[in-house]
Amino acid sequence: MITEKLQKAINDQITAELWSSHLYLSMSFYMEKEGFAGMASWLKKQSEEEKDHACEMASYLVKRGGTAVVDKIDVVPTEFGTPLEVFTQVYEHECRVSKMIDDLTDVASAERDKATQDFLWGFVREQVEEEATASGIVEVLKKAGEAGIYYIDDKLGARK
Ligand code: MG
């Protein structure tokens, strides 16, 4: 059985993952309008991945005898600027998520819940990849000229 405090902290993270999912979906719609179909597709997949994270956490909570909640999700921005600005915001957001996962792991540790700590290490590792991927895209966008942006758009559109 999971403690009340840890259950609340995981439910807060579920809300944060769903907010992230909405943020990336909003970025996807924006990029589609801006004519970057590949980046829009990449961001839509990123949005789906965030929803998967929320579902994974919910299943874990239920398995531990807790209750998973879909809470109110705050509105997300709708304007994001140039492709470089969009992916810089993706990178910055992933850094904030990493901090949230770290804090959540600290709560699990304070509650002396080993199973939850073990569960969360998967997300700690995932964040290393998320930050590296986003920062990699920011770097290539910085180096790309006007024509290069469309080449990158094509590349990102190939994400499975
Ligand atoms: Mg996530």
Side-chain angles (χ1 to χ4, degrees), residues 19-20 23-28 30-31 39-40 42-44 46-47 49-50 77 80 82-98 127 129-138 141 156 159:
W19 190 84
S20 297
L23 174 70
Y24 293 139
L25 192 59
S26 181
M27 285 178 172
S28 173
Y30 172 83
M31 289 310 255
M39 294 183 199
W42 190 97
L43 287 157
K44 196 170 174 201
Q46 187 74 4
S47 166
E49 224 180 73
E50 300 308 338
F80 301 97
T82 64
L84 175 60
E85 285 164 341
V86 170
F87 281 92
T88 300
Q89 289 168 78
V90 170
Y91 173 68
E92 288 168 354
H93 182 64
E94 286 305 328
C95 291
R96 281 194 292 275
V97 172
S98 299
Q127 284 310 119
E129 298 308 316
E130 296 279 32
E131 283 186 30
T133 302
S135 125
I137 296 170
V138 168
L141 282 170
L156 292 177
R159 177 179 179 178

